mmCIF file of all heavy atoms in Angstrom:
data_model
loop_
_atom_site.group_PDB
_atom_site.id
_atom_site.type_symbol
_atom_site.label_atom_id
_atom_site.label_comp_id
_atom_site.label_asym_id
_atom_site.label_seq_id
_atom_site.Cartn_x
_atom_site.Cartn_y
_atom_site.Cartn_z
ATOM 1 N N GLN A 11 -118.534 90.673 39.347
ATOM 2 C CA GLN A 11 -119.225 89.394 39.178
ATOM 3 C C GLN A 11 -118.253 88.216 39.032
ATOM 4 O O GLN A 11 -118.665 87.057 39.121
ATOM 5 C CB GLN A 11 -120.107 89.432 37.927
ATOM 6 C CG GLN A 11 -121.184 90.498 37.922
ATOM 7 C CD GLN A 11 -121.899 90.548 36.585
ATOM 8 O OE1 GLN A 11 -122.674 89.658 36.235
ATOM 9 N NE2 GLN A 11 -121.631 91.588 35.811
ATOM 10 N N LEU A 12 -116.966 88.511 38.799
ATOM 11 C CA LEU A 12 -115.977 87.435 38.662
ATOM 12 C C LEU A 12 -115.852 86.654 39.970
ATOM 13 O O LEU A 12 -115.997 87.231 41.055
ATOM 14 C CB LEU A 12 -114.610 88.019 38.294
ATOM 15 C CG LEU A 12 -114.425 88.504 36.859
ATOM 16 C CD1 LEU A 12 -113.119 89.291 36.734
ATOM 17 C CD2 LEU A 12 -114.435 87.343 35.868
ATOM 18 N N PRO A 13 -115.566 85.356 39.875
ATOM 19 C CA PRO A 13 -115.354 84.567 41.098
ATOM 20 C C PRO A 13 -114.250 85.169 41.963
ATOM 21 O O PRO A 13 -113.264 85.709 41.442
ATOM 22 C CB PRO A 13 -114.939 83.192 40.560
ATOM 23 C CG PRO A 13 -115.502 83.128 39.183
ATOM 24 C CD PRO A 13 -115.448 84.542 38.658
ATOM 25 N N GLU A 14 -114.421 85.083 43.254
ATOM 26 C CA GLU A 14 -113.451 85.653 44.195
ATOM 27 C C GLU A 14 -112.056 85.056 43.958
ATOM 28 O O GLU A 14 -111.904 83.851 43.802
ATOM 29 C CB GLU A 14 -113.902 85.369 45.630
ATOM 30 C CG GLU A 14 -113.076 86.080 46.679
ATOM 31 C CD GLU A 14 -113.635 85.868 48.079
ATOM 32 O OE1 GLU A 14 -114.762 85.351 48.202
ATOM 33 O OE2 GLU A 14 -112.922 86.204 49.034
ATOM 34 N N GLY A 15 -111.068 85.898 43.911
ATOM 35 C CA GLY A 15 -109.690 85.441 43.776
ATOM 36 C C GLY A 15 -109.151 85.414 42.359
ATOM 37 O O GLY A 15 -107.931 85.349 42.169
ATOM 38 N N VAL A 16 -110.034 85.503 41.354
ATOM 39 C CA VAL A 16 -109.558 85.423 39.957
ATOM 40 C C VAL A 16 -108.646 86.597 39.619
ATOM 41 O O VAL A 16 -107.555 86.416 39.070
ATOM 42 C CB VAL A 16 -110.750 85.363 38.977
ATOM 43 C CG1 VAL A 16 -110.261 85.513 37.538
ATOM 44 C CG2 VAL A 16 -111.499 84.050 39.127
ATOM 45 N N LEU A 17 -109.076 87.799 39.971
ATOM 46 C CA LEU A 17 -108.252 88.969 39.660
ATOM 47 C C LEU A 17 -106.980 89.001 40.509
ATOM 48 O O LEU A 17 -105.953 89.514 40.064
ATOM 49 C CB LEU A 17 -109.052 90.255 39.853
ATOM 50 C CG LEU A 17 -110.115 90.548 38.779
ATOM 51 C CD1 LEU A 17 -110.842 91.852 39.086
ATOM 52 C CD2 LEU A 17 -109.509 90.613 37.391
ATOM 53 N N ASN A 18 -107.052 88.458 41.722
ATOM 54 C CA ASN A 18 -105.856 88.428 42.574
ATOM 55 C C ASN A 18 -104.739 87.607 41.946
ATOM 56 O O ASN A 18 -103.553 87.887 42.143
ATOM 57 C CB ASN A 18 -106.199 87.885 43.955
ATOM 58 C CG ASN A 18 -106.987 88.886 44.794
ATOM 59 O OD1 ASN A 18 -106.873 90.085 44.587
ATOM 60 N ND2 ASN A 18 -107.787 88.390 45.720
ATOM 61 N N LYS A 19 -105.116 86.587 41.185
ATOM 62 C CA LYS A 19 -104.119 85.792 40.464
ATOM 63 C C LYS A 19 -103.376 86.668 39.464
ATOM 64 O O LYS A 19 -102.162 86.545 39.286
ATOM 65 C CB LYS A 19 -104.786 84.624 39.733
ATOM 66 C CG LYS A 19 -105.329 83.538 40.637
ATOM 67 C CD LYS A 19 -105.952 82.412 39.811
ATOM 68 C CE LYS A 19 -106.519 81.321 40.705
ATOM 69 N NZ LYS A 19 -107.147 80.234 39.901
ATOM 70 N N LEU A 20 -104.132 87.556 38.812
ATOM 71 C CA LEU A 20 -103.506 88.475 37.855
ATOM 72 C C LEU A 20 -102.633 89.492 38.579
ATOM 73 O O LEU A 20 -101.494 89.755 38.166
ATOM 74 C CB LEU A 20 -104.580 89.209 37.050
ATOM 75 C CG LEU A 20 -104.089 90.254 36.044
ATOM 76 C CD1 LEU A 20 -103.285 89.591 34.928
ATOM 77 C CD2 LEU A 20 -105.265 91.027 35.457
ATOM 78 N N TYR A 21 -103.136 90.066 39.670
ATOM 79 C CA TYR A 21 -102.409 91.100 40.402
ATOM 80 C C TYR A 21 -101.089 90.581 40.969
ATOM 81 O O TYR A 21 -100.139 91.348 41.155
ATOM 82 C CB TYR A 21 -103.265 91.653 41.544
ATOM 83 C CG TYR A 21 -104.558 92.304 41.107
ATOM 84 C CD1 TYR A 21 -105.663 92.350 41.968
ATOM 85 C CD2 TYR A 21 -104.691 92.867 39.840
ATOM 86 C CE1 TYR A 21 -106.854 92.949 41.579
ATOM 87 C CE2 TYR A 21 -105.891 93.468 39.445
ATOM 88 C CZ TYR A 21 -106.960 93.500 40.314
ATOM 89 O OH TYR A 21 -108.141 94.080 39.931
ATOM 90 N N SER A 22 -101.019 89.291 41.226
ATOM 91 C CA SER A 22 -99.797 88.710 41.795
ATOM 92 C C SER A 22 -98.708 88.488 40.748
ATOM 93 O O SER A 22 -97.553 88.236 41.092
ATOM 94 C CB SER A 22 -100.118 87.382 42.491
ATOM 95 O OG SER A 22 -100.538 86.403 41.549
ATOM 96 N N CYS A 23 -99.064 88.585 39.469
ATOM 97 C CA CYS A 23 -98.090 88.400 38.384
ATOM 98 C C CYS A 23 -97.287 89.680 38.197
ATOM 99 O O CYS A 23 -97.856 90.767 38.081
ATOM 100 C CB CYS A 23 -98.790 88.028 37.081
ATOM 101 S SG CYS A 23 -99.682 86.462 37.131
ATOM 102 N N LYS A 24 -95.979 89.570 38.173
ATOM 103 C CA LYS A 24 -95.107 90.741 38.071
ATOM 104 C C LYS A 24 -94.348 90.819 36.739
ATOM 105 O O LYS A 24 -93.748 91.834 36.437
ATOM 106 C CB LYS A 24 -94.101 90.747 39.222
ATOM 107 C CG LYS A 24 -94.727 90.705 40.611
ATOM 108 C CD LYS A 24 -95.666 91.885 40.836
ATOM 109 C CE LYS A 24 -96.308 91.832 42.219
ATOM 110 N NZ LYS A 24 -97.319 92.907 42.406
ATOM 111 N N SER A 25 -94.374 89.748 35.970
ATOM 112 C CA SER A 25 -93.679 89.743 34.680
ATOM 113 C C SER A 25 -94.433 88.848 33.707
ATOM 114 O O SER A 25 -95.318 88.083 34.104
ATOM 115 C CB SER A 25 -92.234 89.254 34.843
ATOM 116 O OG SER A 25 -92.226 87.927 35.357
ATOM 117 N N TRP A 26 -94.064 88.970 32.430
ATOM 118 C CA TRP A 26 -94.766 88.220 31.399
ATOM 119 C C TRP A 26 -94.199 86.800 31.295
ATOM 120 O O TRP A 26 -93.018 86.607 31.060
ATOM 121 C CB TRP A 26 -94.641 88.925 30.053
ATOM 122 C CG TRP A 26 -95.563 88.326 29.029
ATOM 123 C CD1 TRP A 26 -95.252 87.401 28.087
ATOM 124 C CD2 TRP A 26 -96.958 88.580 28.898
ATOM 125 N NE1 TRP A 26 -96.367 87.056 27.365
ATOM 126 C CE2 TRP A 26 -97.439 87.766 27.838
ATOM 127 C CE3 TRP A 26 -97.862 89.409 29.571
ATOM 128 C CZ2 TRP A 26 -98.764 87.764 27.428
ATOM 129 C CZ3 TRP A 26 -99.188 89.413 29.151
ATOM 130 C CH2 TRP A 26 -99.630 88.608 28.102
ATOM 131 N N ASP A 27 -95.068 85.797 31.486
ATOM 132 C CA ASP A 27 -94.648 84.402 31.350
ATOM 133 C C ASP A 27 -95.864 83.549 30.991
ATOM 134 O O ASP A 27 -96.976 84.065 30.793
ATOM 135 C CB ASP A 27 -93.979 83.897 32.633
ATOM 136 C CG ASP A 27 -94.846 84.096 33.879
ATOM 137 O OD1 ASP A 27 -96.094 84.175 33.734
ATOM 138 O OD2 ASP A 27 -94.294 84.169 34.986
ATOM 139 N N ASP A 28 -95.676 82.229 30.918
ATOM 140 C CA ASP A 28 -96.764 81.325 30.553
ATOM 141 C C ASP A 28 -97.910 81.373 31.559
ATOM 142 O O ASP A 28 -99.083 81.242 31.191
ATOM 143 C CB ASP A 28 -96.245 79.890 30.430
ATOM 144 C CG ASP A 28 -95.317 79.702 29.241
ATOM 145 O OD1 ASP A 28 -95.352 80.560 28.333
ATOM 146 O OD2 ASP A 28 -94.558 78.716 29.226
ATOM 147 N N GLU A 29 -97.565 81.580 32.832
ATOM 148 C CA GLU A 29 -98.591 81.606 33.874
ATOM 149 C C GLU A 29 -99.546 82.774 33.688
ATOM 150 O O GLU A 29 -100.776 82.618 33.783
ATOM 151 C CB GLU A 29 -97.944 81.677 35.255
ATOM 152 C CG GLU A 29 -98.929 81.822 36.422
ATOM 153 C CD GLU A 29 -99.926 80.676 36.526
ATOM 154 O OE1 GLU A 29 -99.638 79.569 36.013
ATOM 155 O OE2 GLU A 29 -101.005 80.892 37.118
ATOM 156 N N ILE A 30 -99.010 83.965 33.417
ATOM 157 C CA ILE A 30 -99.891 85.127 33.262
ATOM 158 C C ILE A 30 -100.761 84.984 32.014
ATOM 159 O O ILE A 30 -101.911 85.410 31.992
ATOM 160 C CB ILE A 30 -99.085 86.447 33.237
ATOM 161 C CG1 ILE A 30 -100.045 87.632 33.470
ATOM 162 C CG2 ILE A 30 -98.326 86.634 31.929
ATOM 163 C CD1 ILE A 30 -99.343 88.946 33.695
ATOM 164 N N GLU A 31 -100.252 84.339 30.977
ATOM 165 C CA GLU A 31 -101.065 84.090 29.787
ATOM 166 C C GLU A 31 -102.245 83.196 30.124
ATOM 167 O O GLU A 31 -103.368 83.423 29.652
ATOM 168 C CB GLU A 31 -100.220 83.475 28.674
ATOM 169 C CG GLU A 31 -99.219 84.441 28.054
ATOM 170 C CD GLU A 31 -98.786 84.007 26.658
ATOM 171 O OE1 GLU A 31 -99.670 83.746 25.828
ATOM 172 O OE2 GLU A 31 -97.569 83.932 26.425
ATOM 173 N N ARG A 32 -102.013 82.170 30.940
ATOM 174 C CA ARG A 32 -103.097 81.264 31.349
ATOM 175 C C ARG A 32 -104.132 82.010 32.196
ATOM 176 O O ARG A 32 -105.346 81.801 32.042
ATOM 177 C CB ARG A 32 -102.530 80.079 32.139
ATOM 178 C CG ARG A 32 -101.826 79.048 31.265
ATOM 179 C CD ARG A 32 -101.557 77.765 32.040
ATOM 180 N NE ARG A 32 -100.543 77.963 33.066
ATOM 181 C CZ ARG A 32 -99.242 77.785 32.873
ATOM 182 N NH1 ARG A 32 -98.786 77.413 31.681
ATOM 183 N NH2 ARG A 32 -98.379 77.973 33.857
ATOM 184 N N VAL A 33 -103.654 82.903 33.077
ATOM 185 C CA VAL A 33 -104.568 83.678 33.931
ATOM 186 C C VAL A 33 -105.433 84.606 33.073
ATOM 187 O O VAL A 33 -106.646 84.712 33.288
ATOM 188 C CB VAL A 33 -103.774 84.486 34.975
ATOM 189 C CG1 VAL A 33 -104.698 85.468 35.710
ATOM 190 C CG2 VAL A 33 -103.096 83.563 35.973
ATOM 191 N N ILE A 34 -104.817 85.267 32.101
ATOM 192 C CA ILE A 34 -105.559 86.179 31.221
ATOM 193 C C ILE A 34 -106.610 85.415 30.422
ATOM 194 O O ILE A 34 -107.756 85.874 30.273
ATOM 195 C CB ILE A 34 -104.596 86.928 30.283
ATOM 196 C CG1 ILE A 34 -103.720 87.900 31.090
ATOM 197 C CG2 ILE A 34 -105.372 87.697 29.203
ATOM 198 C CD1 ILE A 34 -102.571 88.478 30.300
ATOM 199 N N GLU A 35 -106.244 84.257 29.909
ATOM 200 C CA GLU A 35 -107.204 83.437 29.153
ATOM 201 C C GLU A 35 -108.387 83.036 30.022
ATOM 202 O O GLU A 35 -109.540 83.033 29.566
ATOM 203 C CB GLU A 35 -106.499 82.202 28.590
ATOM 204 C CG GLU A 35 -105.558 82.526 27.426
ATOM 205 C CD GLU A 35 -104.663 81.365 27.046
ATOM 206 O OE1 GLU A 35 -104.825 80.267 27.639
ATOM 207 O OE2 GLU A 35 -103.812 81.531 26.149
ATOM 208 N N LEU A 36 -108.111 82.723 31.296
ATOM 209 C CA LEU A 36 -109.177 82.373 32.233
ATOM 210 C C LEU A 36 -110.096 83.570 32.476
ATOM 211 O O LEU A 36 -111.335 83.437 32.450
ATOM 212 C CB LEU A 36 -108.569 81.897 33.556
ATOM 213 C CG LEU A 36 -109.553 81.660 34.714
ATOM 214 C CD1 LEU A 36 -110.495 80.506 34.394
ATOM 215 C CD2 LEU A 36 -108.791 81.386 36.021
ATOM 216 N N ILE A 37 -109.503 84.737 32.722
ATOM 217 C CA ILE A 37 -110.287 85.952 32.974
ATOM 218 C C ILE A 37 -111.138 86.301 31.762
ATOM 219 O O ILE A 37 -112.329 86.614 31.885
ATOM 220 C CB ILE A 37 -109.361 87.130 33.354
ATOM 221 C CG1 ILE A 37 -108.740 86.887 34.736
ATOM 222 C CG2 ILE A 37 -110.135 88.457 33.348
ATOM 223 C CD1 ILE A 37 -107.671 87.891 35.108
ATOM 224 N N GLN A 38 -110.545 86.254 30.581
ATOM 225 C CA GLN A 38 -111.284 86.569 29.352
ATOM 226 C C GLN A 38 -112.491 85.645 29.186
ATOM 227 O O GLN A 38 -113.595 86.088 28.855
ATOM 228 C CB GLN A 38 -110.359 86.425 28.145
ATOM 229 C CG GLN A 38 -109.305 87.516 28.021
ATOM 230 C CD GLN A 38 -109.789 88.665 27.152
ATOM 231 O OE1 GLN A 38 -110.278 88.479 26.057
ATOM 232 N NE2 GLN A 38 -109.637 89.871 27.659
ATOM 233 N N LYS A 39 -112.280 84.371 29.421
ATOM 234 C CA LYS A 39 -113.356 83.387 29.279
ATOM 235 C C LYS A 39 -114.501 83.682 30.240
ATOM 236 O O LYS A 39 -115.680 83.641 29.857
ATOM 237 C CB LYS A 39 -112.805 81.985 29.538
ATOM 238 C CG LYS A 39 -113.827 80.872 29.357
ATOM 239 C CD LYS A 39 -113.180 79.503 29.593
ATOM 240 C CE LYS A 39 -114.205 78.371 29.436
ATOM 241 N NZ LYS A 39 -113.591 77.041 29.664
ATOM 242 N N LYS A 40 -114.161 84.005 31.483
ATOM 243 C CA LYS A 40 -115.190 84.271 32.486
ATOM 244 C C LYS A 40 -115.897 85.600 32.232
ATOM 245 O O LYS A 40 -117.109 85.717 32.443
ATOM 246 C CB LYS A 40 -114.580 84.232 33.889
ATOM 247 C CG LYS A 40 -114.139 82.821 34.304
ATOM 248 C CD LYS A 40 -113.733 82.752 35.744
ATOM 249 C CE LYS A 40 -113.363 81.321 36.146
ATOM 250 N NZ LYS A 40 -114.496 80.381 36.000
ATOM 251 N N LEU A 41 -115.149 86.618 31.764
ATOM 252 C CA LEU A 41 -115.757 87.916 31.480
ATOM 253 C C LEU A 41 -116.810 87.812 30.375
ATOM 254 O O LEU A 41 -117.849 88.482 30.423
ATOM 255 C CB LEU A 41 -114.683 88.927 31.068
ATOM 256 C CG LEU A 41 -113.770 89.460 32.175
ATOM 257 C CD1 LEU A 41 -112.641 90.287 31.576
ATOM 258 C CD2 LEU A 41 -114.548 90.296 33.188
ATOM 259 N N LYS A 42 -116.547 86.989 29.385
ATOM 260 C CA LYS A 42 -117.486 86.841 28.267
ATOM 261 C C LYS A 42 -118.822 86.260 28.718
ATOM 262 O O LYS A 42 -119.847 86.465 28.060
ATOM 263 C CB LYS A 42 -116.858 85.974 27.176
ATOM 264 C CG LYS A 42 -115.745 86.676 26.420
ATOM 265 C CD LYS A 42 -115.032 85.749 25.448
ATOM 266 C CE LYS A 42 -113.873 86.478 24.761
ATOM 267 N NZ LYS A 42 -113.104 85.591 23.862
ATOM 268 N N ASN A 43 -118.814 85.554 29.852
ATOM 269 C CA ASN A 43 -120.044 84.939 30.362
ATOM 270 C C ASN A 43 -120.793 85.838 31.348
ATOM 271 O O ASN A 43 -121.875 85.470 31.810
ATOM 272 C CB ASN A 43 -119.720 83.607 31.038
ATOM 273 C CG ASN A 43 -119.275 82.547 30.039
ATOM 274 O OD1 ASN A 43 -119.751 82.508 28.905
ATOM 275 N ND2 ASN A 43 -118.338 81.700 30.445
ATOM 276 N N LEU A 44 -120.221 86.988 31.673
ATOM 277 C CA LEU A 44 -120.876 87.898 32.612
ATOM 278 C C LEU A 44 -121.959 88.717 31.915
ATOM 279 O O LEU A 44 -121.934 88.908 30.702
ATOM 280 C CB LEU A 44 -119.849 88.842 33.239
ATOM 281 C CG LEU A 44 -118.700 88.212 34.027
ATOM 282 C CD1 LEU A 44 -117.834 89.301 34.641
ATOM 283 C CD2 LEU A 44 -119.221 87.268 35.106
ATOM 284 N N VAL A 45 -122.896 89.215 32.709
ATOM 285 C CA VAL A 45 -123.966 90.058 32.149
ATOM 286 C C VAL A 45 -123.631 91.528 32.384
ATOM 287 O O VAL A 45 -122.955 91.889 33.357
ATOM 288 C CB VAL A 45 -125.333 89.718 32.796
ATOM 289 C CG1 VAL A 45 -125.722 88.284 32.478
ATOM 290 C CG2 VAL A 45 -125.311 89.958 34.307
ATOM 291 N N VAL A 46 -124.108 92.367 31.483
ATOM 292 C CA VAL A 46 -123.938 93.812 31.640
ATOM 293 C C VAL A 46 -124.855 94.279 32.772
ATOM 294 O O VAL A 46 -126.044 93.923 32.801
ATOM 295 C CB VAL A 46 -124.295 94.548 30.332
ATOM 296 C CG1 VAL A 46 -124.226 96.060 30.528
ATOM 297 C CG2 VAL A 46 -123.363 94.105 29.201
ATOM 298 N N PRO A 47 -124.334 95.040 33.741
ATOM 299 C CA PRO A 47 -125.154 95.472 34.892
ATOM 300 C C PRO A 47 -126.400 96.250 34.466
ATOM 301 O O PRO A 47 -126.397 96.951 33.446
ATOM 302 C CB PRO A 47 -124.193 96.371 35.681
ATOM 303 C CG PRO A 47 -122.833 95.890 35.318
ATOM 304 C CD PRO A 47 -122.932 95.471 33.876
ATOM 305 N N GLU A 48 -127.449 96.124 35.261
ATOM 306 C CA GLU A 48 -128.723 96.781 34.969
ATOM 307 C C GLU A 48 -128.558 98.293 34.852
ATOM 308 O O GLU A 48 -129.169 98.933 33.984
ATOM 309 C CB GLU A 48 -129.736 96.449 36.071
ATOM 310 C CG GLU A 48 -131.155 96.902 35.785
ATOM 311 C CD GLU A 48 -131.816 96.129 34.646
ATOM 312 O OE1 GLU A 48 -131.427 94.975 34.407
ATOM 313 O OE2 GLU A 48 -132.713 96.706 34.004
ATOM 314 N N LYS A 49 -127.736 98.881 35.725
ATOM 315 C CA LYS A 49 -127.583 100.344 35.679
ATOM 316 C C LYS A 49 -126.913 100.789 34.378
ATOM 317 O O LYS A 49 -127.194 101.877 33.872
ATOM 318 C CB LYS A 49 -126.819 100.857 36.898
ATOM 319 C CG LYS A 49 -125.317 100.705 36.886
ATOM 320 C CD LYS A 49 -124.720 101.510 38.046
ATOM 321 C CE LYS A 49 -123.214 101.543 38.002
ATOM 322 N NZ LYS A 49 -122.641 102.397 39.065
ATOM 323 N N THR A 50 -126.055 99.924 33.801
ATOM 324 C CA THR A 50 -125.421 100.245 32.523
ATOM 325 C C THR A 50 -126.440 100.153 31.391
ATOM 326 O O THR A 50 -126.484 101.014 30.498
ATOM 327 C CB THR A 50 -124.243 99.301 32.244
ATOM 328 O OG1 THR A 50 -123.362 99.302 33.363
ATOM 329 C CG2 THR A 50 -123.475 99.732 30.996
ATOM 330 N N LEU A 51 -127.271 99.112 31.424
ATOM 331 C CA LEU A 51 -128.324 98.975 30.410
ATOM 332 C C LEU A 51 -129.243 100.187 30.424
ATOM 333 O O LEU A 51 -129.616 100.713 29.367
ATOM 334 C CB LEU A 51 -129.131 97.698 30.674
ATOM 335 C CG LEU A 51 -128.387 96.365 30.565
ATOM 336 C CD1 LEU A 51 -129.313 95.210 30.930
ATOM 337 C CD2 LEU A 51 -127.810 96.161 29.169
ATOM 338 N N ASN A 52 -129.590 100.656 31.616
ATOM 339 C CA ASN A 52 -130.464 101.832 31.736
ATOM 340 C C ASN A 52 -129.778 103.092 31.234
ATOM 341 O O ASN A 52 -130.413 103.945 30.595
ATOM 342 C CB ASN A 52 -130.895 102.013 33.197
ATOM 343 C CG ASN A 52 -131.826 100.914 33.677
ATOM 344 O OD1 ASN A 52 -132.516 100.281 32.885
ATOM 345 N ND2 ASN A 52 -131.849 100.665 34.978
ATOM 346 N N PHE A 53 -128.477 103.218 31.522
ATOM 347 C CA PHE A 53 -127.727 104.392 31.071
ATOM 348 C C PHE A 53 -127.677 104.421 29.540
ATOM 349 O O PHE A 53 -127.914 105.474 28.924
ATOM 350 C CB PHE A 53 -126.307 104.356 31.641
ATOM 351 C CG PHE A 53 -125.465 105.560 31.295
ATOM 352 C CD1 PHE A 53 -125.399 106.642 32.157
ATOM 353 C CD2 PHE A 53 -124.740 105.611 30.108
ATOM 354 C CE1 PHE A 53 -124.620 107.757 31.843
ATOM 355 C CE2 PHE A 53 -123.971 106.711 29.786
ATOM 356 C CZ PHE A 53 -123.915 107.790 30.659
ATOM 357 N N VAL A 54 -127.364 103.294 28.936
ATOM 358 C CA VAL A 54 -127.283 103.230 27.472
ATOM 359 C C VAL A 54 -128.650 103.521 26.859
ATOM 360 O O VAL A 54 -128.754 104.277 25.874
ATOM 361 C CB VAL A 54 -126.763 101.852 27.013
ATOM 362 C CG1 VAL A 54 -126.829 101.738 25.486
ATOM 363 C CG2 VAL A 54 -125.325 101.638 27.485
ATOM 364 N N LYS A 55 -129.687 102.945 27.435
ATOM 365 C CA LYS A 55 -131.040 103.165 26.906
ATOM 366 C C LYS A 55 -131.410 104.648 26.971
ATOM 367 O O LYS A 55 -132.038 105.184 26.039
ATOM 368 C CB LYS A 55 -132.045 102.344 27.717
ATOM 369 C CG LYS A 55 -133.466 102.373 27.176
ATOM 370 C CD LYS A 55 -134.376 101.460 28.000
ATOM 371 C CE LYS A 55 -134.050 100.001 27.759
ATOM 372 N NZ LYS A 55 -135.017 99.091 28.425
#
């Protein structure tokens, strides 16, 4: 459900720096706004 290209920004990072921290913060923020898939809700239920 993440916007196209968001994870590719992470995959392109090869070492720990300020840029990868910014990418992780962006991913975390967007993940928190995603919904749990219907098939997962049914499995848990």
Side-chain angles (χ1 to χ4, degrees):
Q11 300 174 72
L12 285 169
E14 188 175 349
V16 171
L17 287 180
N18 287 334
K19 290 181 181 179
L20 177 65
Y21 299 153
S22 66
C23 297
K24 304 302 179 185
S25 60
W26 191 263
D27 54 25
D28 291 342
E29 175 60 23
I30 196 170
E31 289 202 52
R32 285 192 291 270
V33 171
I34 292 169
E35 288 169 4
L36 172 65
I37 291 172
Q38 288 268 310
K39 183 178 179 180
K40 291 188 177 299
L41 286 172
K42 288 174 183 177
N43 291 326
L44 300 183
V45 297
V46 175
E48 189 69 26
K49 79 169 187 176
T50 308
L51 296 177
N52 292 335
F53 183 94
V54 174
K55 186 177 289 187

